[in-house]
Amino acid sequence: MASENSPLLAYRLLGDEGVAFSANGAGGPGGASARKLSTFLGVVVPTVLSMFSIVVFLRIDSARSSGLQVLPQGYGWNLLYGSLLLGLVGGVCTLGAGLYARASFLTFLLVSGSLASVLVSFVAVGPRSIPLTPRPGPNGSSLPPQVGHFTGFNSSTLKANLGAGYSKDYTTGAMMNFASVFAVLFNGCTGIMAGANMSGELKDPSRAIPLGTIVAVAYTFFIYTLLFFLSSFTCDRTLLQEDYGFFRAISLWPPLVLIGIYATSLSASMSSLIGASRILHALAQDDLFGVILAPAKVVSRTGNPWGAVLYSWGLVQLVLLAGKLNTLAAVVTVFYLVAYAAVDLSCLSLEWASAPNFRPTFSLFSWHTCLLGVASCLLMMFLISPGAAGGSLLLMGLLSALLTARGGPSSWGYVSQALLFHQVRKYLLRLDVRKDHVKFWRPQLLLLVGNPRGALPLLRLANQLKKGGLYVLGHVTLGDLDCLPSDPVQPQYGAWLSLVDRAQVKAFVDLTLSPSVRQGAQHLLRISGLDSDSHLPS
């Protein structure tokens, strides 16, 4: 029931503005790099879905049962229509967030009026038969014409629509199932990241993003549920399956429905493109991929990243060549699920790491909900398309490995280090020196190095002697902190850690400042946790 001629797409187009409008002002460079990449891949491609949504309805409007065609049809023409619409959306986004906000508000009013007319029509319009456009058959022939029925509120119609009743997708010939229906319908429920994508454009992101997101999701869920109920109560299965623009056939004023469809498609496209450009600009500012994203750094005097908008426009234009809506819908859904799984995984990592700066205000938040979100996203990814799911995870892993190999800015911080610290601290607290036993004795070595340039062989020898024990590389800097303007030891830690990396030894580094080497060695013995019962020579 969710092929390209399914009313599910119309539900998405009429209801998606609830998400796009409530969170339209969003953006921002806020999350970790893996999450940005996943969100970008999940936001750019949906712009294509909206572009082709308009083309689908252009085809409906121009191909009537009388055979009259207003616009030429075909792959090349549809690509041209999509490219022209993409150019319009790109032009609005290039001029800045201010024009985008005004255009979004206008389209919101149009969509609200269109939606209101549809809801009133379900009650005001009486039962009627609706002739359906014949489907093309094999060898260029046409299948026999069918008639759909708008029955008004009828319990028999509702009972007949309760079953699944999947049909074939006429674009691919494949039988639809729950996963394919989910892939198409899920795109109408996306948009919850719009607030985060545009956070730099909001006056109060900490309040606007959660409030706008919750209101948008609640509004969209209510509209979808209401439309599902009204449609299944009043329209027979033939009408639902064969005419995915049936809202016009039952509307009091059909042109208003068409205006709403075009308006919500353009608004969703603008929201996706401007959000994608903000994320791409953030990636460029972080200098993650060097010259590849250098054009996306260009901004206007007012701070509008028009270079990133044009970059995103070019990427979407490439994807427009795909040409099949349902194919795009499955890929888009997988990318969205990867993005949401990455967000859940980030929150789960921060919660498990007990990061002091991670204090979610949502009262129902817990690591259980994060883990459930990750598991649910991964499950649905593989149910929809195992190949696309595996490919997206592989791509995400390769990008993460590339970023790790290149070494990102240290100012980001690494959640892996926070997790390691949390676990190490937990197990260190479980160590009890009173439970030591000779059977589990391990060597503990403190190697004092004066001149590291000539100490590499000695470092490696001590590394072999430790045999799973504790190995501390120590150095004493002679001096008195009271007589110095600053601590001379702290700046040396980076060089000593580089020495450990170069020598490829498993050792800790401890440095100290002391008036004498003897006192410094005693300090190192105590601060490193080694056994200090033995006496040092004078």
Side-chain angles (χ1 to χ4, degrees), residues 32-71:
S33 59
R35 175 190 163 189
K36 287 180 180 178
L37 292 170
S38 296
T39 307
F40 178 68
L41 292 174
V43 172
V44 171
V45 184
T47 306
V48 183
L49 183 63
S50 296
M51 295 295 100
F52 271 93
S53 300
I54 304 176
V55 173
V56 167
F57 286 99
L58 284 174
R59 183 169 70 243
I60 298 173
D61 194 52
S62 61
R64 297 294 187 180
S65 56
S66 60
L68 176 63
Q69 285 196 351
V70 179
L71 295 176

Side-chain angles (χ1 to χ4, degrees), residues 14 110-122 219 252 256:
L14 288 173
L110 293 174
V111 171
S112 298
S114 175
L115 185 59
S117 71
V118 169
L119 295 178
V120 172
S121 298
F122 277 109
Y219 171 80
L252 293 172
L256 186 58

Side-chain angles (χ1 to χ4, degrees), residues 193-384:
M193 297 300 295
N197 294 345
M198 293 287 292
S199 60
E201 309 290 342
L202 299 176
K203 294 181 180 179
D204 188 6
S206 61
R207 180 180 182 275
I209 291 175
L211 179 62
T213 300
I214 293 175
V215 170
V217 171
Y219 171 80
T220 306
F221 178 79
F222 172 75
I223 293 298
Y224 279 7
T225 304
L226 183 61
L227 288 174
F228 290 158
F229 174 78
L230 294 176
S231 299
S232 59
F233 220 121
T234 59
C235 304
D236 67 355
R237 187 178 294 274
T238 301
L239 179 61
L240 294 176
Q241 287 184 332
E242 301 296 330
D243 186 0
Y244 49 100
F246 72 94
F247 284 158
R248 286 177 299 160
I250 65 174
S251 177
L252 293 172
W253 191 47
L256 186 58
V257 177
L258 196 62
I259 292 173
I261 290 172
Y262 293 159
T264 193
S265 298
L266 286 172
S267 177
S269 303
M270 288 188 295
S271 176
S272 298
L273 189 61
I274 199 168
S277 65
R278 289 335 189 244
I279 297 174
L280 187 62
H281 178 66
L283 292 172
Q285 289 292 98
D286 291 332
D287 200 23
L288 295 180
F289 297 100
V291 296
I292 299 177
L293 295 184
K297 294 182 180 181
V298 180
V299 297
S300 64
R301 287 179 294 180
T302 58
N304 178 41
W306 61 270
V309 174
L310 294 180
Y311 206 114
S312 303
W313 171 86
L315 293 176
V316 175
Q317 185 64 53
L318 290 177
V319 185
L320 276 173
L321 300 173
K324 288 187 178 180
L325 179 64
N326 281 359
T327 302
L328 290 175
V331 175
V332 169
T333 299
V334 168
F335 278 133
Y336 264 123
L337 289 171
V338 170
Y340 298 153
V343 173
D344 287 331
L345 185 60
S346 299
C347 294
L348 180 64
S349 302
L350 292 170
E351 179 69 13
W352 278 351
S354 300
N357 62 340
F358 181 68
R359 299 183 297 272
T361 57
F362 186 53
S363 59
L364 300 180
F365 174 84
S366 72
W367 68 266
H368 303 85
T369 57
C370 295
L371 188 61
L372 179 62
V374 174
S376 301
C377 290
L378 294 177
L379 176 62
M380 288 310 305
M381 283 169 54
F382 284 94
L383 284 178
I384 293 171

Side-chain angles (χ1 to χ4, degrees), residues 136-161:
N139 301 323
S141 61
S142 296
L143 297 177
Q146 294 179 292
V147 177
H149 299 280
F150 177 79
T151 64
F153 289 93
N154 191 310
S155 58
S156 299
T157 304
L158 176 63
K159 185 180 297 184
N161 287 327

